[in-house]
Amino acid sequence: KSLGLEGLIAKRQGSLYEAGERTGAWVKWKNVKEQEVVIGGFTDPGGSRKYFGALLAGYFVDGRLQYAGKVGTGFRSSRLREIHRTLEAITRAKCPFINLPESREGRYGQAITASRMNSCHWVRPILVCQVRFTEWTRDGKMRHPVFVGLRDDKDAMEVVREVD
């Protein structure tokens, strides 16, 4: 991790690499980061998913909320319902993020363009959640973010981007 590497591979002694196969003899251990983020909105659900698709998350820079990505995995269905109920109670009409809309679609699908903003639901930026992710992208987004849980022990205004 201190070398900035993505992770490491552990393999059963004497095992051979088998291209395209998942035998369990080789296992990838990825380095992950964790960060608390502020929820500023959510997207509509897709497919068979109910309540919402992804949380729109960010952190504060000089007292202003900076968008840092969509968090769409890590939820149990019962948790989706609970969080959605909480979000519905704090909706607002205006986007709370200072850096939205973005001018173009990002490399990892995290961008919120002006046309995508039409299908977003905004909330007062007062809820904090913990997120696990692999890295920060060059454009300042979390890559592969996964919801860990809500944080009621942290004031939203205290949430800033943590230094690696």
Side-chain angles (χ1 to χ4, degrees), residues 107-108 136-141:
R107 180 175 176 185
Y108 301 106
W136 288 104
T137 64
R138 277 180 258 149
D139 60 347
K141 306 290 186 313

Side-chain angles (χ1 to χ4, degrees), residues 48-60:
S48 64
R49 179 100 167 243
K50 293 181 180 179
Y51 305 109
F52 63 88
L55 298 175
L56 305 176
Y59 54 86
F60 282 98

